[in-house]
Amino acid sequence: VARQCPYGTNRMGARTIGGLYAEKGKGGRSGIEQYYDSLLKGKPGLSSVEKVAGKYRSICVVEPINGEDVYTTLDVNVQDITEQALLRTLTKYGADHGCAVVMEVKTGKIRALSNLKRREDGSYVEGTNYALASQTEPGSTFKIASAIVALETGKVDTSTMIPTGNGTHNFYGKIMRDWNYNKGGYGKISLNRGIQVSSNIASALIIDELFKESPQKFIEGLYKLGINNDLNLEIKGVAKPYIKSADDATWSKLSLPWIAHGYEVKVPPIYILTLYNGIANGGVMMSPYLVNSVELNGVKSVEKSPMVINPQICSPSTLGKVKQMMVDVVEYGTAQNVRSRDFQIAGKTGTAVQNINGARKH
C-alpha cells in the first residue's frame, strides 16, 4: 500500500500531515505521520511457501493487521484558503518564509496550518513547521500579554497617560526607539493609544514603572496567563516558550523594558495564537489540537476532545479592555489595512528585529 497525496507533496498542509522515509517500512518521517507511526503502519503478517503438485503456493500463517486511520481537525477548504492567502502575502513582500494558522475559538481545533519557504527560484514550498517549531522573539505581538499583566495590577487603566517623548527613550544606558522616531514620536499618549500604534516605549515604560522594584511579579503575571504551558501537540519537535525569570543569570535592568515589547523572550507563533484565542474565547484558554481520532473499523483507539489549559487568563474587567484595545488596533491603529465593512476584526500587528547571519532584519 502506498501513501497517496491527492494535493501534491508540497501543498495542503503537507508538512503538518507529514511524510514517510524513502526506505520501505521505516515509517513516518515528520508531522502527524511520525507521531502516530506505530498506529498507522499496522502489523505485518506471516506466510509460508509450499510446493504442491509441482507448484509453489503461499499460505498465510498469521494475518496482517491494517494500520489505523487518523482523522485530523484540518478542514480542506479552510486550509486551501489559508495557504493561498499566505502565498499571496509572501510573494507580495518577497519574504523568506511565513506561517498561518486558523484555530477554532471554542474548541481549540486547528482548522488550517500552512508553512511556506521561498526556494532559490522564488517559488514557495512547504518547509519547516515554523508555526510550531520556530522559537523566535515575538516582538510587538507580545505587547498584549504585557498589557494584560499591567491592567491586572489595578494601578493603571487604558486611559493612563505615558510620556513617550520624541520617539526615543534612554533605559538604563540603552536607547529604545519607536518606529516613528524620525518623525518626532508620539509624545504623551494613553496605554490604549500606545497599543494602537504599537509604541515600544509606551509598553516598556508602563511595565518598568510598575515592576522595576519587583520584576519577578511581572514574570509571574506572564506565567499566570498560561502562555508558557506545554501544549502537547501531536507533532514531534514543537518548540517551547522561553520566558526567563528575574533570577536568571542573563537578567539585567534592561530585561524588564525589553521583555515588555517582545524581546529577550522566545515564543513560537502557536503559543501567541493560543493566548489570543483565549482572549477571543472569553478568557478561557483552549489547548490547540490537530487530531480528532484514530480508529480501525469504527473502533477508536484515540479520541480527542476540547481541553481547557487555563479557565481564566485574567479578570473579566481586564479582558473587556484588552478586547477593545485589539479592536482599536484595527479601527484606528497599525492594522487598519485589514479593516472590514462586513464584520469586526480585532488583532495586533507585530514586528521584531532579528540578527540573521550578522545582519539586522525585520
Side-chain angles (χ1 to χ4, degrees), residues 230-283:
D230 194 337
L231 298 180
N232 294 312
L233 277 161
E234 307 96 324
I235 286 183
K236 293 182 179 180
V238 177
K240 294 182 179 180
Y242 165 69
I243 303 175
K244 63 184 179 183
S245 297
D247 59 0
D248 190 279
T250 63
W251 188 275
S252 71
K253 288 184 177 180
L254 292 171
S255 295
L256 201 56
W258 255 255
I259 291 174
H261 74 292
Y263 291 86
E264 290 197 27
V265 292
K266 293 183 178 181
V267 185
I270 190 67
Y271 284 84
I272 296 293
L273 173 62
T274 301
L275 172 64
Y276 282 23
N277 193 78
I279 295 169
N281 196 32

Side-chain angles (χ1 to χ4, degrees), residues 37 96 99 245 335 352:
D37 180 67
D96 179 72
C99 63
S245 297

Side-chain angles (χ1 to χ4, degrees), residues 10-322:
N10 284 314
R11 288 204 62 224
M12 299 299 283
R15 185 73 180 188
T16 302
I17 294 169
L20 304 175
Y21 283 102
E23 183 181 342
K24 188 177 180 180
K26 196 171 180 180
R29 179 171 56 88
S30 62
I32 295 172
E33 281 274 12
Q34 181 186 33
Y35 191 87
Y36 286 106
D37 180 67
S38 62
L39 299 179
L40 281 165
K41 65 184 180 183
K43 295 181 180 180
L46 181 65
S47 63
S48 64
V49 178
E50 293 184 2
K51 187 175 183 180
V52 179
K55 295 182 179 180
Y56 289 97
R57 65 176 184 175
S58 179
I59 299 175
C60 181
V61 178
V62 178
E63 291 284 348
I65 299 175
N66 289 330
E68 298 185 46
D69 299 317
V70 174
Y71 294 87
T72 75
T73 61
L74 299 175
D75 182 298
V76 173
N77 294 322
V78 179
Q79 179 70 34
D80 188 34
I81 293 169
T82 302
E83 188 172 296
Q84 292 305 318
L86 178 62
L87 178 60
R88 286 195 302 271
T89 303
L90 295 179
T91 302
K92 178 180 178 181
Y93 294 103
D96 179 72
H97 64 269
C99 63
V101 189
V102 178
M103 181 176 176
E104 194 171 87
V105 173
K106 292 296 181 184
T107 65
K109 290 182 179 182
I110 300 299
R111 292 307 193 183
L113 199 165
S114 181
N115 299 273
L116 298 176
K117 180 173 177 61
R118 187 175 61 181
R119 295 192 292 195
E120 290 185 4
D121 63 2
S123 63
Y124 288 89
V125 296
E126 280 271 347
T128 301
N129 204 323
Y130 299 105
L132 310 184
S134 181
Q135 195 182 45
T136 57
E137 291 174 315
S140 295
T141 59
F142 201 73
K143 290 172 183 173
I144 294 297
S146 297
I148 294 174
V149 176
L151 290 168
E152 284 289 83
T153 66
K155 297 178 181 179
V156 296
D157 205 342
T158 56
S159 60
T160 298
M161 301 303 289
I162 308 167
T164 65
N166 63 359
T168 64
H169 189 87
N170 188 325
F171 283 96
Y172 309 106
K174 186 172 182 179
I175 300 299
M176 181 182 293
R177 293 180 174 86
D178 276 333
W179 67 271
N180 73 333
Y181 73 95
N182 58 345
K183 297 180 181 180
Y186 292 110
K188 197 170 186 178
I189 56 175
S190 67
L191 174 58
N192 187 12
R193 184 59 178 164
I195 293 296
Q196 287 177 31
V197 298
S198 202
S199 167
N200 297 333
I201 296 172
S203 293
L205 276 174
I206 204 83
I207 294 300
D208 193 55
E209 181 63 29
L210 287 170
F211 297 101
K212 60 186 174 184
E213 300 301 327
S214 52
Q216 185 59 24
K217 287 186 178 180
F218 173 63
I219 301 301
E220 289 171 358
L222 294 175
Y223 292 162
K224 186 179 178 181
L225 295 178
I227 197 171
N228 62 323
N229 289 345
D230 194 337
L231 298 180
N232 294 312
L233 277 161
E234 307 96 324
I235 286 183
K236 293 182 179 180
V238 177
K240 294 182 179 180
Y242 165 69
I243 303 175
K244 63 184 179 183
S245 297
D247 59 0
D248 190 279
T250 63
W251 188 275
S252 71
K253 288 184 177 180
L254 292 171
S255 295
L256 201 56
W258 255 255
I259 291 174
H261 74 292
Y263 291 86
E264 290 197 27
V265 292
K266 293 183 178 181
V267 185
I270 190 67
Y271 284 84
I272 296 293
L273 173 62
T274 301
L275 172 64
Y276 282 23
N277 193 78
I279 295 169
N281 196 32
V284 181
M285 182 181 283
M286 305 301 296
S287 178
Y289 64 105
L290 287 158
V291 171
N292 282 319
S293 65
V294 182
E295 57 186 83
L296 179 63
N297 299 326
V299 179
K300 296 178 180 179
S301 59
V302 176
E303 185 172 13
K304 294 294 188 73
S305 57
M307 184 174 71
V308 176
I309 54 177
N310 189 347
Q312 187 175 356
I313 60 174
C314 62
S315 66
S317 175
T318 292
L319 184 68
K321 294 170 183 177
V322 170

